[in-house]
Amino acid sequence: METSTEGAAADGGGDVAPVTAPVANGVPVGADSSAVGVEAAEGAVTAPEATAAVVIPPASLSPSRAGDFMQCPLLYRFRVIDRLPEKPSAAATKGTLVHAVLERLFDAPAAERTVPRAKSLIPGQWDRLRESRPEVVELFADDPEGERLATWLGEAEQLVERWFGLEDPTRLEPAERELFVEAELDSGLRLRGIIDRVDVAPTGEVRIVDYKTGKAPRPEYAEGALFQMKFYALVVWRLKNVIPRRLQLVYLGSGDVLTYDPVLADLERVERKLLALWEAIRQATETGDWRPRPTKLCGWCDHRAHCPEFGGTPPPYPLPVRAAESGGGSQGRMGPD
């Protein structure tokens, strides 16, 4: 998700989460970027007026929410349990717009998938986004002449155009676009998310593709960037008993493509990690012990007014709690692999 102003949510292929923090030194910070339905199901709230009528414990896990807990358990609570509203992010919204354009471009016959055609889709997709998520209009409320909006739309055009130098849509026929996936592990944990694109070769090999509007991470952070993709590969394996042949991250911000060919051991390792992560979430849910984990990303968090690290007080905990077990492990950071 180097330091980039492209929001983590704008880069997480699969769930468009309301993350406003940027990628920090190439470490994805809870990125999933286009699954409004997935995030709503898990408790993410983007519109200020959105409220939860009934609070229920978490029942599933997506890459975005897994990333939230690894970044900061209290952030996970604010989003999933308390459902605190968050302001729309220009970077995340741009990512949502670009994802929509790349998805819709494949509606056209192969020969018509051109740069001009793709750019022509941007105004209409922006209109649709404003209709489905009216809160994004406030991003340009102080821009009466439309200058900032024009610049922002121009940046979206540049990202779309750069994609054509990385992939040739006239030679692609995706098997799926914006594919919702959900699988239940033997433990009962449900994993869910939305995959940007699934390609299937004539010989049956599966490739999972994710678009990122930020820049490619430095090599030392590549594993972190692949966490989300391995998550999706695990879900596909559990659903279809097929290990994807390739995982592909397309970074439109820098014009890079990162690929990884997973093996069974990768998916088994990710499954073990997610089970441990879910156990930590379960314990925090039952005890109400959600600890903040301060990092330099706190500067982009919408919830500092409620965070003890900044002198704030979290809302009253809305779920029943039990006493924490003495000697229990702390909520330490779980790495991406």
Side-chain angles (χ1 to χ4, degrees):
M1 227 176 282
E2 81 307 358
T3 299
S4 166
T5 56
E6 296 302 324
D11 290 337
D15 306 350
V16 175
V19 179
T20 55
V23 177
N25 296 323
V27 180
V29 192
D32 297 22
S33 81
S34 50
V36 174
V38 170
E39 300 311 327
E42 294 189 292
V45 176
T46 56
E49 68 275 14
T51 57
V54 178
V55 178
I56 59 175
S60 63
L61 193 62
S62 74
S64 287
R65 300 291 76 87
D68 284 347
F69 190 85
M70 289 188 289
Q71 177 188 335
C72 174
L74 187 59
L75 174 63
Y76 178 98
R77 177 200 151 168
F78 286 156
R79 285 181 169 160
V80 178
I81 306 295
D82 300 300
R83 302 191 178 189
L84 297 182
E86 299 184 358
K87 297 177 182 178
S89 156
T93 303
K94 188 193 306 174
T96 303
L97 175 60
V98 170
H99 276 75
V101 169
L102 299 186
E103 179 192 3
R104 293 274 69 85
L105 182 64
F106 284 103
D107 290 341
E112 298 178 20
R113 298 170 194 162
T114 63
V115 172
R117 171 102 181 199
K119 289 183 177 180
S120 74
L121 295 174
I122 291 177
Q125 292 303 314
W126 172 231
D127 289 341
R128 290 185 60 186
L129 184 57
R130 288 184 297 173
E131 291 173 5
S132 63
R133 295 174 56 190
E135 69 272 14
V136 303
V137 176
E138 70 183 71
L139 289 170
F140 304 100
D142 60 348
D143 183 35
E145 302 300 323
E147 294 180 0
R148 285 181 47 242
L149 174 59
T151 298
W152 183 83
L153 291 172
E155 292 168 352
E157 285 191 356
Q158 293 173 5
L159 293 172
V160 169
E161 183 171 2
R162 185 170 292 142
W163 175 60
F164 283 81
L166 303 175
E167 296 190 289
D168 182 358
T170 66
R171 299 171 60 87
L172 296 171
E173 290 298 340
E176 302 286 353
R177 291 172 277 155
E178 297 298 315
L179 174 66
F180 174 79
V181 291
E182 182 176 43
E184 184 171 318
L185 304 182
D186 294 339
S187 66
L189 171 59
R190 282 190 294 129
L191 305 178
R192 60 198 303 172
I194 292 185
I195 301 174
D196 288 349
R197 199 180 83 219
V198 178
D199 300 332
V200 179
T203 49
E205 291 92 346
V206 174
R207 176 172 64 182
I208 296 177
V209 181
D210 187 67
Y211 308 122
K212 304 240 181 241
T213 49
K215 298 178 181 179
R218 297 203 301 262
E220 60 265 36
Y221 296 112
E223 278 299 316
L226 284 168
F227 169 69
Q228 172 192 354
M229 303 300 285
K230 292 179 180 179
F231 182 110
Y232 289 142
L234 170 61
V235 175
V236 170
W237 173 49
R238 285 303 191 186
L239 282 174
K240 303 293 186 181
N241 198 31
V242 172
I243 299 176
R245 174 68 178 82
R246 174 154 293 181
L247 309 177
Q248 180 166 305
L249 290 158
V250 181
Y251 287 93
L252 305 177
S254 57
D256 296 299
V257 176
L258 176 64
T259 62
Y260 183 81
D261 297 340
V263 296
L264 179 59
D266 291 318
L267 307 189
E268 292 174 335
R269 185 163 53 249
V270 170
E271 182 168 348
R272 290 193 298 270
K273 172 185 174 55
L274 291 173
L275 291 175
L277 181 65
W278 187 246
E279 176 61 18
I281 291 173
R282 185 191 65 78
Q283 291 185 14
T285 302
E286 293 181 356
T287 63
D289 182 13
W290 300 92
R291 304 178 189 179
R293 184 175 296 124
T295 69
K296 58 186 175 183
L297 297 171
C298 292
W300 287 276
C301 182
D302 279 340
H303 307 306
R304 283 176 292 175
H306 295 286
C307 181
E309 292 294 325
F310 294 88
T313 302
Y317 192 58
L319 294 172
V321 299
R322 64 169 174 79
E325 298 177 4
S326 61
S330 63
Q331 296 174 5
R333 178 177 177 83
M334 293 189 178
D337 202 14

